[in-house]
């Protein structure tokens, strides 16, 4: 996601938005009381994002694109989906099978992938979409039915839960960052869990961490007092579930994040939590609950280690820029003539945003996990950083 720099002055809410926010706060207050006056941050994040009809991803607000809160890579340029399709096509050539996309947003990535795969004559048997938001599911259905020929659209099926088994390519673009995290703080030689209490309003409150297994992988010996970071066992749980269902194929997770060495560096003392509201980025998750996105960067080392422990291979890890270039995004750009400046110049600017180290190119990473597939993957033919995990 891309957004403007941090701002302490977010846009004001209209009456309807304020009423929605007040309803969400009242619901969270009730949950705080039911939990004895304290709520873990992971529970708060779950409520704020996913409560049916109230949570950010479960409500009706427009979240993506110029009119939403953030812009994702598939909306920046259609070349993102086309380049990714080249990687998917390589796998489908080896094992004629299906694609499963986790959380398809507006449906733009699915549309671009399916169009490119059809052009390559590598259409999947089925394109499954697992979408927890009824509102987003309807938007995806409307968009894809309008964008795709019936012969291609008929391959798309929506799921309410992960299938029992799957063969093919699993895609997760900016999925892991939206999974609820625990926030922990190293203070006076012990780990604290940062959570929420309610006294007239939502407020931070820390208490001793009860489940020390959450932080067993963090070396606290070099951490300064007041060091705050996140851990996400739920994301590891998702990887474990995907490992269980995958019979043969590849899981591709694209997101912003770091290896564990970078993630838990002593100088990153305020963690990675970030919120997005109407293209403003800030770090206060207690503002506008239900109306803003709340995310944390991904610990890719933890994802890879979980995958290995559950029978998967780590087939590649690199930056988004390197992955897209390996998959031919620059060659795809060359299919548009520079003389057609009305088309070419916006496409160049969009590709620059996807590849530039100052934009999305370095912060966003791509992790490939595989089973029963020995062929080296196109997206990692150069610049593979598995040794950094």
């Amino acid at each position: 996601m891309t957004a403007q720099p941090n701002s302490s002055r977010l846009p004001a809410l209209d009456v309807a938005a304020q009423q929605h926010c007040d309803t969400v706060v009242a619901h969270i207050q009730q949950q705080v009381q039911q939990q004895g006056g304290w709520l873990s941050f992971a529970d708060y994040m779950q409520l704020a994002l996913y409560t049916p009809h109230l949570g950010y991803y479960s409500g009706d607000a427009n979240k993506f694109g110029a009119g939403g809160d953030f812009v994702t890579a598939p909306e920046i340029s259609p070349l993102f989906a086309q380049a990714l399709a080249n990687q998917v096509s390589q796998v489908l050539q080896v094992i004629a099978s299906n694609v499963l996309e986790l959380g398809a947003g507006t449906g733009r990535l699915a549309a671009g992938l399916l169009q490119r795969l059809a052009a390559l004559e590598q259409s999947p048997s089925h394109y499954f979409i697992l979408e927890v938001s009824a509102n987003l599911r309807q938007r995806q259905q409307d968009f894809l039915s309008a964008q795709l020929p019936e012969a291609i659209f008929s391959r798309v099926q929506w799921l309410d839960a992960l299938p029992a088994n799957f063969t093919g390519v699993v895609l997760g673009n900016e999925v892991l960052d939206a999974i609820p995290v625990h926030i922990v703080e190293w203070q006076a030689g012990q780990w604290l869990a940062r959570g929420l209490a309610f006294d007239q309003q939502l407020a931070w409150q820390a208490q001793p961490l009860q489940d020390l297994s959450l932080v067993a992988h963090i070396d606290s010996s070099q951490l300064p007092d007041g060091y705050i970071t996140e851990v996400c066992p739920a994301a590891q749980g998702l990887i474990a579930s995907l490992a269980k269902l995958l019979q043969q194929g590849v899981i591709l997770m694209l997101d912003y994040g770091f290896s564990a060495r970078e993630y838990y560096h002593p100088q990153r003392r305020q963690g990675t939590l970030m919120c997005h509201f109407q293209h403003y980025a800030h770090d206060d998750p207690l503002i506008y609950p239900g109306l803003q996105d709340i995310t944390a960067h991904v610990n890719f080392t933890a994802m890879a280690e979980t995958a290995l422990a559950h029978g998967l291979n780590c087939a590649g890890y690199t930056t988004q820029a390197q992955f897209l270039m390996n998959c031919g995004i620059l060659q795809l750009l060359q299919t548009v003539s520079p003389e057609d400046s009305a088309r070419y110049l916006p496409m160049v600017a969009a590709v620059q945003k996807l590849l530039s180290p100052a934009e999305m190119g370095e912060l966003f990473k791509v992790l490939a996990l595989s089973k029963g597939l020995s062929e080296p993957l196109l997206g990692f033919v150069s610049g593979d950083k598995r040794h950094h995990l």
Side-chain angles (χ1 to χ4, degrees):
M1 305 168 185
T2 61
Q4 295 179 9
N6 287 0
S7 172
S8 59
R9 300 184 63 185
L10 298 178
L13 302 182
D14 60 27
V15 174
Q18 186 63 61
Q19 289 176 342
H20 181 88
C21 187
D22 292 343
T23 302
V24 175
V25 171
H27 177 68
I28 293 172
Q29 178 187 6
Q30 183 182 44
Q31 298 302 309
V32 171
Q33 292 170 342
Q34 290 180 2
Q35 295 294 323
W38 187 86
L39 194 68
S40 74
F41 183 79
D43 286 341
Y44 168 79
M45 188 171 169
Q46 177 71 31
L47 292 168
L49 295 182
Y50 299 108
T51 299
H53 310 297
L54 294 178
Y56 179 75
Y57 283 108
S58 303
D60 295 334
N62 181 29
K63 304 160 183 64
F64 304 93
D69 296 307
F70 50 80
V71 179
T72 60
E75 291 150 341
I76 290 174
S77 172
L79 298 185
F80 177 85
Q82 293 174 29
L84 181 56
N86 288 342
Q87 175 62 90
V88 174
S89 174
Q90 180 198 13
V91 178
L92 296 182
Q93 288 178 40
V94 178
I95 45 172
S97 53
N98 304 309
V99 175
L100 167 60
E101 184 179 358
L102 309 176
T106 61
R108 193 170 296 275
L109 176 58
L113 280 167
L114 285 164
Q115 289 165 343
R116 175 67 176 170
L117 289 171
L120 295 171
E121 299 184 349
Q122 286 295 331
S123 293
S125 300
H126 295 94
Y127 192 102
F128 297 107
I129 295 176
L130 175 61
E131 181 56 69
V132 299
S133 167
N135 175 262
L136 286 176
R137 178 183 291 208
Q138 186 60 56
R139 288 187 63 188
Q140 293 157 12
Q141 291 173 343
D142 293 342
F143 180 77
L144 291 173
S145 64
Q147 293 291 316
L148 300 174
E150 176 58 30
I152 299 178
F153 179 69
S154 64
R155 298 172 185 261
V156 184
Q157 295 184 20
W158 278 263
L159 305 177
D160 296 315
L162 289 173
N165 52 71
F166 181 80
T167 297
V169 181
V170 180
L171 298 174
N173 182 55
E174 295 200 46
V175 170
L176 295 174
D177 66 86
I179 296 177
V181 297
H182 293 271
I183 298 182
V184 294
E185 179 177 358
W186 180 249
Q187 189 67 257
Q190 69 170 334
W191 283 107
L192 305 177
R194 286 172 60 85
L196 285 301
F198 195 94
D199 183 10
Q200 306 303 318
Q201 61 182 6
L202 289 169
W204 290 104
Q205 186 178 99
Q207 64 179 34
L209 180 64
Q210 301 299 313
D211 184 3
L212 292 177
S213 68
L214 289 174
V215 294
H217 61 291
I218 305 176
D219 179 7
S220 60
S221 64
Q222 302 300 316
L223 300 182
D225 259 12
Y227 183 89
I228 295 171
T229 190
E230 307 90 25
V231 291
C232 193
Q236 292 173 260
L238 173 60
I239 296 297
S241 296
L242 294 175
K244 182 179 179 180
L245 67 86
L246 188 67
Q247 305 299 298
Q248 184 185 18
V250 174
I251 300 167
L252 289 171
M253 306 304 289
L254 303 90
D255 226 312
Y256 45 93
F258 310 105
S259 67
R261 282 177 291 180
E262 296 176 87
Y263 202 103
Y264 298 117
H265 194 283
Q267 293 181 355
R268 184 167 280 110
R269 57 185 304 155
Q270 294 301 313
T272 71
L273 199 75
M274 188 60 65
C275 305
H276 298 86
F277 180 76
Q278 295 184 14
H279 294 272
Y280 284 84
H282 66 95
D283 60 3
D284 189 349
L286 307 190
I287 296 176
Y288 301 166
L291 297 178
Q292 68 170 356
D293 193 21
I294 306 172
T295 73
H297 289 45
V298 177
N299 176 356
F300 280 104
T301 300
M303 301 306 107
E305 289 176 346
T306 300
L308 292 173
H310 288 82
L312 297 182
N313 299 310
C314 184
Y317 173 67
T318 193
T319 63
Q320 174 176 287
Q322 188 66 62
F323 176 82
L324 293 175
M325 288 190 291
N326 288 340
C327 290
I329 193 169
L330 297 180
Q331 289 78 10
L332 290 166
L333 178 61
Q334 290 172 2
T335 63
V336 179
S337 171
E339 296 181 1
D340 185 359
S341 59
R343 289 184 61 211
Y344 184 74
L345 293 179
M347 293 182 76
V348 168
V351 169
Q352 174 74 7
K353 185 180 289 288
L354 294 174
L355 301 184
S356 169
E359 297 277 358
M360 301 174 73
E362 296 292 328
L363 178 60
F364 281 68
K365 311 295 195 306
V366 185
L367 176 67
L369 308 168
S370 68
K371 180 184 288 185
L373 193 70
S374 59
E375 184 171 339
L377 295 177
L378 172 68
F380 307 92
V381 292
S382 65
D384 192 343
K385 298 179 181 294
R386 274 178 283 182
H387 58 286
H388 288 167
L389 284 170

